Amino acid sequence: MKDTFKHKGLRQQLVAVVKDKGIKDEQVLKAIGKIPRHLFMDSGFLDHAYQDKAFPIAANQTISQPYTVAFQSELLNIKNGDKVLEIGTGSGYQTAVLCELGAKVYSIERQLELFKITSKFLPKLGYRAKKLIFGDGYKGLKEEAPFDSIIVTAGAPFVPKPLLSQLAIGGRLVIPVGDDIQIMTLFIRKGPKEFEKHEFGEFRFVPLLEDKN
Ligand code: SAH
Protein backbone atom coordinates (compact mmCIF):
# COMPACT_ATOMS: atom_id res chain seq x y z
CA MET A 1 0.00 0.00 0.00
CA LYS A 2 2.39 2.66 -1.24
CA ASP A 3 1.54 6.30 -1.78
CA THR A 4 4.52 7.94 -3.49
CA PHE A 5 5.35 11.48 -4.59
CA LYS A 6 4.42 10.38 -8.09
CA HIS A 7 0.93 9.45 -6.89
CA LYS A 8 0.60 12.71 -5.00
CA GLY A 9 1.62 14.67 -8.09
CA LEU A 10 -0.87 12.82 -10.29
CA ARG A 11 -3.55 13.49 -7.68
CA GLN A 12 -2.94 17.23 -7.80
CA GLN A 13 -3.33 17.08 -11.57
CA LEU A 14 -6.64 15.27 -11.08
CA VAL A 15 -7.77 17.98 -8.66
CA ALA A 16 -6.99 20.57 -11.34
CA VAL A 17 -9.02 18.61 -13.94
CA VAL A 18 -12.03 18.27 -11.65
CA LYS A 19 -11.82 21.95 -10.70
CA ASP A 20 -11.62 22.88 -14.35
CA LYS A 21 -14.86 20.96 -14.98
CA GLY A 22 -16.62 23.19 -12.45
CA ILE A 23 -16.20 21.77 -8.93
CA LYS A 24 -15.80 24.66 -6.49
CA ASP A 25 -16.19 23.19 -3.01
CA GLU A 26 -12.71 23.48 -1.44
CA GLN A 27 -13.33 20.67 1.04
CA VAL A 28 -14.31 18.31 -1.75
CA LEU A 29 -11.24 19.26 -3.81
CA LYS A 30 -9.06 18.77 -0.77
CA ALA A 31 -10.51 15.28 -0.23
CA ILE A 32 -9.82 14.29 -3.86
CA GLY A 33 -6.29 15.62 -3.43
CA LYS A 34 -5.75 13.59 -0.29
CA ILE A 35 -7.30 10.15 -0.89
CA PRO A 36 -5.00 7.61 -2.59
CA ARG A 37 -7.47 6.49 -5.28
CA HIS A 38 -4.94 4.04 -6.77
CA LEU A 39 -5.24 1.91 -3.64
CA PHE A 40 -8.98 1.45 -4.27
CA MET A 41 -8.24 -0.31 -7.58
CA ASP A 42 -6.30 -3.47 -8.47
CA SER A 43 -2.59 -2.67 -8.57
CA GLY A 44 -2.41 -3.51 -12.28
CA PHE A 45 -4.48 -0.44 -13.04
CA LEU A 46 -2.17 2.13 -11.47
CA ASP A 47 -1.90 4.15 -14.66
CA HIS A 48 -5.66 4.71 -14.71
CA ALA A 49 -6.19 5.70 -11.10
CA TYR A 50 -5.67 9.43 -11.58
CA GLN A 51 -7.48 9.84 -14.86
CA ASP A 52 -10.95 11.30 -14.57
CA LYS A 53 -12.62 8.01 -15.49
CA ALA A 54 -14.80 5.33 -13.96
CA PHE A 55 -13.03 1.99 -13.75
CA PRO A 56 -13.97 -1.70 -13.27
CA ILE A 57 -13.63 -3.14 -9.74
CA ALA A 58 -14.66 -6.56 -8.37
CA ALA A 59 -18.09 -8.14 -8.94
CA ASN A 60 -18.65 -6.38 -12.28
CA GLN A 61 -19.01 -2.99 -10.61
CA THR A 62 -17.16 0.30 -11.11
CA ILE A 63 -15.37 2.90 -9.04
CA SER A 64 -17.16 6.11 -10.01
CA GLN A 65 -15.47 8.81 -12.08
CA PRO A 66 -13.74 11.35 -9.77
CA TYR A 67 -15.71 14.24 -11.30
CA THR A 68 -18.98 12.42 -10.55
CA VAL A 69 -17.88 11.71 -6.98
CA ALA A 70 -16.96 15.39 -6.57
CA PHE A 71 -20.22 16.56 -8.18
CA GLN A 72 -22.41 14.41 -5.93
CA SER A 73 -20.36 15.31 -2.85
CA GLU A 74 -20.70 19.01 -3.60
CA LEU A 75 -24.49 18.68 -3.95
CA LEU A 76 -24.71 17.02 -0.54
CA ASN A 77 -23.37 20.17 1.12
CA ILE A 78 -22.01 18.22 4.09
CA LYS A 79 -21.28 19.88 7.42
CA ASN A 80 -18.94 18.40 10.00
CA GLY A 81 -20.75 15.72 12.00
CA ASP A 82 -23.62 15.22 9.53
CA LYS A 83 -25.19 11.78 9.48
CA VAL A 84 -24.94 10.51 5.90
CA LEU A 85 -26.28 7.36 4.26
CA GLU A 86 -24.57 6.04 1.13
CA ILE A 87 -26.20 3.45 -1.12
CA GLY A 88 -23.59 1.45 -3.07
CA THR A 89 -20.35 1.26 -1.06
CA GLY A 90 -18.48 -0.35 -3.97
CA SER A 91 -14.75 0.30 -3.68
CA GLY A 92 -15.31 2.64 -0.74
CA TYR A 93 -13.81 5.65 -2.54
CA GLN A 94 -16.92 7.80 -2.17
CA THR A 95 -17.20 6.60 1.44
CA ALA A 96 -13.65 7.88 2.05
CA VAL A 97 -14.58 11.26 0.53
CA LEU A 98 -17.59 11.48 2.88
CA CYS A 99 -15.34 10.64 5.86
CA GLU A 100 -12.89 13.36 4.80
CA LEU A 101 -15.81 15.82 4.73
CA GLY A 102 -16.45 15.05 8.39
CA ALA A 103 -19.60 12.95 7.89
CA LYS A 104 -20.71 10.07 10.08
CA VAL A 105 -21.14 7.55 7.30
CA TYR A 106 -23.51 4.60 7.00
CA SER A 107 -23.03 2.74 3.73
CA ILE A 108 -24.94 -0.16 2.19
CA GLU A 109 -23.63 -2.61 -0.45
CA ARG A 110 -25.57 -5.50 -1.98
CA GLN A 111 -22.60 -7.45 -3.40
CA LEU A 112 -21.20 -9.64 -0.65
CA GLU A 113 -17.75 -9.82 -2.27
CA LEU A 114 -17.38 -6.03 -2.41
CA PHE A 115 -18.86 -5.61 1.06
CA LYS A 116 -16.19 -7.95 2.47
CA ILE A 117 -13.25 -6.45 0.57
CA THR A 118 -14.17 -2.86 1.35
CA SER A 119 -15.03 -3.52 5.02
CA LYS A 120 -11.47 -4.75 5.51
CA PHE A 121 -9.79 -2.17 3.32
CA LEU A 122 -11.24 1.16 4.53
CA PRO A 123 -10.08 0.87 8.17
CA LYS A 124 -6.57 0.02 6.91
CA LEU A 125 -6.49 3.46 5.30
CA GLY A 126 -7.81 5.03 8.49
CA TYR A 127 -11.39 5.57 7.24
CA ARG A 128 -13.91 4.44 9.81
CA ALA A 129 -17.49 4.54 8.65
CA LYS A 130 -20.06 4.37 11.47
CA LYS A 131 -21.47 1.27 9.84
CA LEU A 132 -20.93 -0.70 6.63
CA ILE A 133 -23.95 -2.83 5.85
CA PHE A 134 -24.49 -5.80 3.54
CA GLY A 135 -28.04 -5.30 2.34
CA ASP A 136 -30.49 -3.70 -0.06
CA GLY A 137 -30.19 0.04 -0.43
CA TYR A 138 -33.71 0.39 -1.84
CA LYS A 139 -34.91 0.04 1.75
CA GLY A 140 -32.51 2.62 3.20
CA LEU A 141 -31.63 2.16 6.88
CA LYS A 142 -34.73 2.85 8.92
CA GLU A 143 -33.19 2.11 12.32
CA GLU A 144 -30.63 4.91 11.89
CA ALA A 145 -32.91 7.51 10.23
CA PRO A 146 -33.26 10.46 9.92
CA PHE A 147 -30.19 11.34 7.83
CA ASP A 148 -28.85 14.80 7.00
CA SER A 149 -28.01 13.50 3.53
CA ILE A 150 -28.40 10.39 1.44
CA ILE A 151 -26.29 9.66 -1.63
CA VAL A 152 -27.06 6.93 -4.16
CA THR A 153 -24.05 5.88 -6.25
CA ALA A 154 -25.85 3.57 -8.69
CA GLY A 155 -28.43 4.40 -11.37
CA ALA A 156 -31.93 4.19 -9.86
CA PRO A 157 -34.83 3.40 -12.24
CA PHE A 158 -37.08 5.33 -9.82
CA VAL A 159 -36.70 7.20 -6.52
CA PRO A 160 -37.15 4.71 -3.65
CA LYS A 161 -39.76 6.10 -1.22
CA PRO A 162 -37.94 4.93 1.94
CA LEU A 163 -34.97 7.15 1.02
CA LEU A 164 -37.16 10.26 0.88
CA SER A 165 -38.89 9.37 4.14
CA GLN A 166 -35.57 8.75 5.93
CA LEU A 167 -34.35 12.31 5.28
CA ALA A 168 -34.31 14.85 8.11
CA ILE A 169 -36.22 18.09 7.49
CA GLY A 170 -33.72 20.18 5.54
CA GLY A 171 -31.99 16.97 4.46
CA ARG A 172 -30.73 16.28 0.94
CA LEU A 173 -31.00 13.20 -1.28
CA VAL A 174 -28.64 13.08 -4.26
CA ILE A 175 -29.65 10.34 -6.68
CA PRO A 176 -29.02 9.58 -10.37
CA VAL A 177 -32.43 8.63 -11.78
CA GLY A 178 -33.02 6.75 -15.04
CA ASP A 179 -32.45 3.45 -16.84
CA ASP A 180 -29.67 3.71 -19.47
CA ILE A 181 -28.76 7.30 -18.77
CA GLN A 182 -29.47 8.99 -15.45
CA ILE A 183 -30.39 12.54 -14.54
CA MET A 184 -28.56 13.65 -11.41
CA THR A 185 -31.36 14.72 -9.09
CA LEU A 186 -31.32 16.55 -5.76
CA PHE A 187 -34.29 16.43 -3.38
CA ILE A 188 -34.37 18.79 -0.40
CA ARG A 189 -36.88 17.94 2.30
CA LYS A 190 -38.75 21.13 3.17
CA GLY A 191 -41.41 19.58 5.42
CA PRO A 192 -42.91 16.21 6.39
CA LYS A 193 -44.48 15.87 2.93
CA GLU A 194 -42.77 18.65 1.01
CA PHE A 195 -39.75 18.09 -1.24
CA GLU A 196 -37.96 20.49 -3.53
CA LYS A 197 -36.52 18.86 -6.66
CA HIS A 198 -33.54 20.04 -8.74
CA GLU A 199 -32.04 18.35 -11.81
CA PHE A 200 -28.41 18.54 -12.94
CA GLY A 201 -27.95 16.85 -16.29
CA GLU A 202 -26.92 13.43 -17.51
CA PHE A 203 -24.62 10.88 -15.92
CA ARG A 204 -24.04 7.15 -16.37
CA PHE A 205 -23.93 4.65 -13.52
CA VAL A 206 -24.11 0.89 -13.08
CA PRO A 207 -27.71 -0.01 -12.13
CA LEU A 208 -29.17 0.01 -8.65
CA LEU A 209 -30.35 -3.61 -8.45
CA GLU A 210 -33.17 -5.05 -6.41
CA ASP A 211 -32.91 -8.17 -4.21
CA LYS A 212 -29.47 -8.75 -2.82
CA ASN A 213 -27.56 -11.84 -3.99
N1 SAH B 1 -19.53 4.49 -4.43
C1 SAH B 1 -18.87 3.48 -5.23
C2 SAH B 1 -19.58 3.30 -6.56
C3 SAH B 1 -19.75 1.85 -6.84
S1 SAH B 1 -20.78 1.46 -8.22
C4 SAH B 1 -17.41 3.78 -5.41
O1 SAH B 1 -17.00 4.92 -5.17
O2 SAH B 1 -16.66 2.87 -5.76
C5 SAH B 1 -22.35 1.22 -7.45
C6 SAH B 1 -22.42 0.19 -6.34
O3 SAH B 1 -23.80 0.08 -5.95
C7 SAH B 1 -21.97 -1.21 -6.73
O4 SAH B 1 -20.98 -1.64 -5.82
C8 SAH B 1 -23.24 -2.05 -6.61
O5 SAH B 1 -23.01 -3.38 -6.17
C9 SAH B 1 -24.04 -1.26 -5.58
N2 SAH B 1 -25.48 -1.52 -5.59
C10 SAH B 1 -26.30 -1.74 -6.65
N3 SAH B 1 -27.58 -1.92 -6.24
C11 SAH B 1 -27.57 -1.80 -4.87
C12 SAH B 1 -28.58 -1.86 -3.86
N4 SAH B 1 -29.86 -2.13 -4.16
N5 SAH B 1 -28.22 -1.68 -2.58
C13 SAH B 1 -26.92 -1.41 -2.25
N6 SAH B 1 -25.93 -1.34 -3.16
C14 SAH B 1 -26.24 -1.54 -4.46
Side-chain angles (χ1 to χ4, degrees), residues 41-71:
M41 299 164 45
D42 287 346
S43 51
F45 299 130
L46 256 182
D47 288 348
H48 298 269
Y50 295 108
Q51 293 176 16
D52 188 25
K53 283 187 188 155
F55 213 77
I57 53 173
N60 258 335
Q61 300 303 318
T62 56
I63 178 169
S64 299
Q65 183 181 342
Y67 171 71
T68 305
V69 171
F71 193 88

Side-chain angles (χ1 to χ4, degrees), residues 2 149 151 193:
K2 269 195 200 156
S149 328
I151 172 173
K193 290 194 173 155

Side-chain angles (χ1 to χ4, degrees), residues 32-202:
I32 304 274
K34 185 165 169 196
I35 301 169
R37 187 172 187 259
H38 63 284
L39 299 179
F40 291 74
M41 299 164 45
D42 287 346
S43 51
F45 299 130
L46 256 182
D47 288 348
H48 298 269
Y50 295 108
Q51 293 176 16
D52 188 25
K53 283 187 188 155
F55 213 77
I57 53 173
N60 258 335
Q61 300 303 318
T62 56
I63 178 169
S64 299
Q65 183 181 342
Y67 171 71
T68 305
V69 171
F71 193 88
Q72 288 194 280
S73 302
E74 188 167 73
L75 283 181
L76 290 172
N77 202 10
I78 289 170
K79 295 176 292 302
N80 203 22
D82 274 3
K83 198 169 177 180
V84 178
L85 176 64
E86 177 189 24
I87 311 297
T89 316
S91 69
Y93 181 72
Q94 173 76 68
T95 318
V97 171
L98 297 171
C99 290
E100 284 289 347
L101 296 173
K104 296 190 184 105
V105 188
Y106 297 77
S107 185
I108 306 178
E109 172 57 53
R110 72 177 279 288
Q111 293 276 0
L112 185 57
E113 183 189 358
L114 278 175
F115 166 76
K116 284 186 180 163
I117 296 171
T118 303
S119 302
K120 266 199 191 160
F121 171 70
L122 277 177
K124 279 193 200 156
L125 276 192
Y127 293 114
R128 285 173 210 288
K130 275 273 167 190
K131 226 186 228 177
L132 297 176
I133 299 119
F134 171 53
D136 178 11
Y138 273 94
K139 300 189 180 79
L141 194 64
K142 205 173 170 191
E143 62 270 30
E144 296 290 348
F147 294 95
D148 298 303
S149 328
I150 301 178
I151 172 173
V152 179
T153 69
F158 59 88
V159 181
K161 285 227 168 69
L163 301 186
L164 288 170
S165 65
Q166 291 173 22
L167 276 182
I169 305 292
R172 299 159 84 88
L173 167 63
V174 174
I175 179 168
V177 188
D179 291 315
D180 297 335
I181 293 175
Q182 293 84 34
I183 304 293
M184 189 63 76
T185 311
L186 164 68
F187 291 91
I188 305 174
R189 189 170 201 172
K190 291 289 176 180
K193 290 194 173 155
E194 237 184 298
F195 294 88
E196 211 176 81
K197 182 181 172 187
H198 304 264
E199 292 184 336
F200 296 90
E202 291 178 356

